[in-house]
Amino acid sequence: IPTRSAPQPKASAARFDALRSFKDQTAMHVDKIEGVARMAGQDGPMRIASDWLGLDEHELVGVSERVLLAISDRVRYGGPEQALHDELLVRLQDSILQLRTLAGTDALTRMANRRTLETRLTEEVARSQRHGRSLALLFVDVDQLKEVNDSLGHAAGDSLLREVASRLQASVRLSDLVGRWGGDEFLIICPETAAAAADRLAAKLRSAIADRPILLDGKSRRVRVSIGSAAIDRDGDAGDLLAAADTALYAAKSQRSTRGAQRPLVHVLH
């Protein structure tokens, strides 16, 4: 009687799926290896990009293939290396300019900050001395900032500073530089400005602030500023000019507190 061999057990569905998954993963891994090898070949995009960027090829593993192809194509065809270099250089210069602008700008008022003011003042003093021209500096102090902060909150105080900054800017020449020195103080650098002109400008600025109420937290409020100024003819440096304007400012604040009205206070350095 012929015998039949025992039937072979069939692979379970789970085992079959696992085997298929392993084969798929292996194929994907091989494709990835081949892809990296293709990209990193002697004339491959990875090699070209790494040479141009000055990097090792392993540092570009994981970078989008599309990015590598774009770089290699622009480097290889029609003199694009210079074009790519110029494009990246322009973007870098734009980024540096933006960073410099942010570094020199007061975040609250969007005007020049203390760092920018100090640099510009040093330049203007040197120019004044070199060409024998006048230069004036005005220190502006917002008298009621602390009172507004205490009664209405710091958000109202910030609104006050922004409005004062805007009015100061609208009242000066294009050649003048208005900036926030810090806290409640602003500084105005006025090239080609003698003591008499600085006195007239100070009066104009006081009126620009005091004559129109400022809306704070839904309420109209009149605000005053104290101003001290200094002018330089020939001698003295930036530190001397700052010190003279600062002295004039505190004299003006003292005068206002004792007499109620501020008279012109201009210190002249000869």
Side-chain angles (χ1 to χ4, degrees):
I1 299 174
T3 61
R4 291 184 300 174
S5 59
Q8 296 295 322
K10 295 181 179 180
S12 67
R15 183 180 177 187
F16 178 77
D17 290 342
L19 179 60
R20 183 171 60 183
S21 176
F22 174 76
K23 291 174 64 178
D24 290 344
Q25 290 177 13
T26 301
M28 289 174 60
H29 185 64
V30 170
D31 288 344
K32 184 176 181 180
I33 293 175
E34 291 177 347
V36 171
R38 182 174 64 255
M39 295 291 289
Q42 184 173 359
D43 297 322
M46 185 179 290
R47 172 65 63 83
I48 294 172
S50 65
D51 289 344
W52 188 83
L53 293 170
L55 301 173
D56 292 331
E57 291 181 31
H58 73 270
E59 295 180 89
L60 297 180
V61 173
V63 174
S64 169
E65 184 173 333
R66 180 165 39 175
V67 172
L68 296 176
L69 287 170
I71 294 175
S72 65
D73 286 347
R74 298 191 66 174
V75 168
R76 280 193 292 190
Y77 303 120
E81 182 172 355
Q82 186 61 43
L84 180 59
H85 176 273
D86 292 343
E87 179 182 338
L88 294 176
L89 185 59
V90 168
R91 293 187 180 184
L92 178 60
Q93 290 171 335
D94 288 343
S95 298
I96 292 174
L97 180 60
Q98 291 176 7
L99 289 174
R100 286 179 177 173
T101 300
L102 290 173
T105 302
D106 176 62
L108 178 64
T109 62
R110 310 309 301 168
M111 287 185 166
N113 62 11
R114 183 167 182 156
R115 175 182 178 184
T116 298
L117 289 166
E118 288 176 337
T119 300
R120 175 72 177 273
L121 181 60
T122 300
E123 295 171 349
E124 291 297 341
V125 168
R127 186 177 293 110
S128 172
Q129 293 175 338
R130 185 166 58 250
H131 299 292
R133 296 172 180 172
S134 57
L135 171 67
L137 184 68
L138 281 74
F139 250 130
V140 182
D141 184 276
V142 183
D143 292 335
Q144 291 117 317
L145 179 62
K146 184 178 186 304
E147 179 185 335
V148 169
N149 282 336
D150 291 344
S151 61
L152 301 178
H154 287 273
D158 290 347
S159 296
L160 171 59
L161 288 172
R162 283 191 290 265
E163 180 62 22
V164 169
S166 176
R167 294 189 187 186
L168 293 176
Q169 184 65 66
S171 303
V172 301
R173 305 168 302 178
L174 291 176
S175 57
D176 300 332
L177 178 64
V178 181
R180 187 180 177 202
W181 189 247
D184 57 0
E185 292 182 337
F186 292 86
L187 196 70
I188 306 176
I189 301 172
C190 305
E192 307 282 343
T193 303
D199 180 21
R200 292 192 295 271
L201 177 58
K204 178 182 177 181
L205 295 174
R206 285 193 296 271
S207 295
I209 304 302
D211 289 353
R212 286 190 296 124
I214 297 176
L215 187 64
L216 298 172
D217 197 28
K219 301 176 182 178
S220 292
R221 190 183 190 104
R222 290 193 177 274
V223 177
R224 297 188 309 269
V225 295
S226 296
I227 301 177
S229 61
I232 187 171
D233 289 333
R234 292 178 300 276
D235 299 329
D237 57 19
D240 296 330
L241 193 58
L242 276 168
D246 190 52
T247 298
L249 171 63
Y250 280 94
K253 291 178 72 69
S254 175
Q255 182 188 92
R256 181 183 293 282
S257 64
T258 57
R259 301 183 186 178
Q262 181 183 342
R263 294 181 300 176
L265 287 172
V266 180
H267 286 220
V268 182
L269 304 179
H270 297 287

